[in-house]
Amino acid sequence: SGVNVLLGANGAGKSTLLAEFRNHLQQKGGNTFVFVEGGRTIQIKDVLQLDRNTFQNYNRLDQAITQHENKRKTSLANRVFDALVVLDKKGQEQKTKHSDDVELWMNSGKEGECPAREQPPLELLFEMFNEIFPLIEISFDSVAKRLKAKKIQAEYSPTQFSDGEKQVFSILAD
């Protein structure tokens, strides 16, 4: 397996060439692709709140994973929300399991070490992003389900990331 990078000026035909490669290779079958579009096409929602339209498909972790997996063959831009919801739901599940483990530990006489909680997946995503962009800190308000970015004391929405920041954030989330 490998990674290929195609560089060129705007309008040089990079996207057209890649689309032709993708179409040709998909016809042969058996290939797995990860599509990464230009940052301008990636829309990062700053709120992961479910509404009437999304609740049915994303309410449970298994549903959110299915939605995300079903979009794996489409563009990355179309699955960023799904990836973030999956990470949030996995974090909620971790928190519940940890609470259950601590309760069991307490009820069984507190033998051994108190169970430790794993790092929530969204926090891990934010930490990896911060390693690449050290001036940007991302946080998540789990009550309001809102993502926030902070750069040199200025707070803003991840929707305002640069194209490159959107691409990196999307790839890490996916």
Side-chain angles (χ1 to χ4, degrees), residues 46-50 88-89 92 95 122 126 139-148:
D46 61 346
V47 178
L48 302 182
Q49 195 72 290
L50 301 180
D88 180 39
K89 296 243 179 249
Q92 291 171 22
K95 185 176 181 180
L122 279 175
F126 302 158
S139 62
F140 181 66
D141 180 337
S142 60
V143 175
K145 300 286 187 195
R146 181 174 298 278
L147 292 164
K148 296 178 191 169

Side-chain angles (χ1 to χ4, degrees), residues 27-70:
Q27 291 171 1
K28 288 188 170 194
N31 297 305
T32 302
F33 298 93
V34 175
F35 300 107
V36 180
E37 299 79 24
R40 281 170 267 167
T41 66
I42 297 173
Q43 298 297 317
I44 300 173
K45 295 183 179 183
D46 61 346
V47 178
L48 302 182
Q49 195 72 290
L50 301 180
D51 58 24
R52 278 187 252 181
N53 299 325
T54 56
F55 183 82
Q56 192 72 14
N57 295 326
Y58 298 91
N59 185 42
R60 296 188 333 258
L61 175 59
D62 63 322
Q63 292 171 315
I65 289 172
T66 298
Q67 289 297 317
H68 181 250
E69 289 299 320
N70 287 342

Side-chain angles (χ1 to χ4, degrees), residues 13 15 24 27 40 84 87 89 110 135 140 158 162 168 172:
S15 297
H24 175 73
Q27 291 171 1
R40 281 170 267 167
L84 293 171
L87 294 176
K89 296 243 179 249
K110 299 181 183 177
L135 297 178
F140 181 66
S162 71
V168 169
L172 291 173

Side-chain angles (χ1 to χ4, degrees), residues 61 89-105 114-118:
L61 175 59
K89 296 243 179 249
K90 282 184 176 182
Q92 291 171 22
E93 193 171 88
Q94 271 183 352
K95 185 176 181 180
T96 300
K97 183 183 180 323
H98 178 254
S99 294
D100 293 346
D101 290 348
V102 169
E103 186 174 334
L104 180 64
W105 175 77
C114 180
R117 183 173 168 205
E118 293 179 57

Side-chain angles (χ1 to χ4, degrees), residues 37-44 129 133 136 149 151 156-170:
E37 299 79 24
R40 281 170 267 167
T41 66
I42 297 173
Q43 298 297 317
I44 300 173
F129 185 83
F133 299 102
I136 303 173
K151 186 175 185 179
Y156 58 100
S157 164
T159 60
Q160 297 172 303
F161 281 164
S162 71
D163 291 349
E165 292 163 351
K166 285 180 184 178
Q167 286 176 313
V168 169
F169 184 78
S170 300

